[in-house]
Amino acid sequence: GGLLLLGLIGVLLVARVRRGDVSLLGKSAWILAAVPYGIVVGFLSATPQSPTPLGPLLGMTVFQVLAEQVFFIAFLFFGLKKFMSNPGGATLVTAIIFGVYHVTYFAVLNSPPDVMVQDVMRIGAFAGGAYAALAWQSGGLLAPFVAHLAVNVTTMVRMAWSG
C-alpha cells in the first residue's frame, strides 16, 4: 500500500505527469508482445513458496503489480524520461532501482551474496528494464502492467501446481 501511495504522490506532485504526458493504453499492439513475454519469464523464474491459497494470492498479486507499476513506471520511469534527454537512460535507471528494490524480498535476502547479486541483475533486466522498455515503446502503462501481471500470475500458478 505504501508503494502505491508513494507512486501516486510522485505522479501527482514530483513527476507532474499529466494526462497528456502518459497514456493509459498506449500503443495496444505492444500488449501482444507483453503477454507471451510475461508467460515465458514467469516459467523461467524461480517458483515462490507460500502457504496462501491461490485465489487470495492472485488478488494480492494484482495489487502488488499495480503498486509497483504506479511507482516504478508511472512515477519513476515517466518522470525520469521527462527530465532525461535519452529515454534509454531512464530505462536503465528504472531497471537498476527496480532490481535493487527486490533485494527487500525475503527469498532474495536469504540467498548467498553472489546469488543475491545475480537475482537483482536478472530482476532488473528481465523485469524492471523490460517493463520500462515496454512503457517507452508503447507510450502507455497497460503493456508493462500486463507483462508484469503475466510474470507474477504464471509463477503463482506454477507454485500452486507444484505444491
Side-chain angles (χ1 to χ4, degrees):
L3 192 62
L4 181 59
L5 181 63
L6 287 173
L8 289 172
I9 290 169
V11 166
L12 297 173
L13 301 177
V14 179
R16 298 180 194 262
V17 176
R18 295 176 298 279
R19 286 182 71 199
D21 294 339
V22 179
S23 165
L24 180 61
L25 296 178
K27 298 173 192 157
S28 57
W30 282 97
I31 296 169
L32 298 175
V35 172
Y37 179 83
I39 292 170
V40 168
V41 171
F43 270 107
L44 296 175
S45 297
T47 305
Q49 300 300 316
S50 175
T52 307
L54 184 60
L57 196 59
L58 291 175
M60 291 186 295
T61 296
V62 171
F63 183 78
Q64 175 204 0
V65 168
L66 177 65
E68 288 184 0
Q69 288 298 310
V70 167
F71 185 85
F72 289 104
I73 301 301
F75 166 49
L76 185 63
F77 172 73
F78 280 111
L80 287 171
K81 185 174 167 265
K82 190 174 176 181
F83 295 105
M84 297 176 85
S85 61
N86 180 1
T91 301
L92 180 63
V93 171
T94 301
I96 291 168
I97 294 172
F98 189 86
V100 170
Y101 163 77
H102 281 82
V103 168
T104 62
Y105 282 60
F106 185 73
V108 176
L109 283 174
N110 281 336
S111 302
D114 61 324
V115 174
M116 186 185 304
V117 169
Q118 291 173 10
D119 284 349
V120 167
M121 289 172 59
R122 274 194 296 268
I123 291 167
F126 293 106
Y131 306 149
L134 279 167
W136 173 17
Q137 294 301 314
S138 73
L141 299 172
L142 189 58
F145 176 81
V146 167
H148 194 165
L149 191 61
V151 169
N152 289 21
V153 166
T154 302
T155 59
M156 296 305 137
V157 169
R158 284 181 49 231
M159 178 199 66
W161 285 345
S162 70

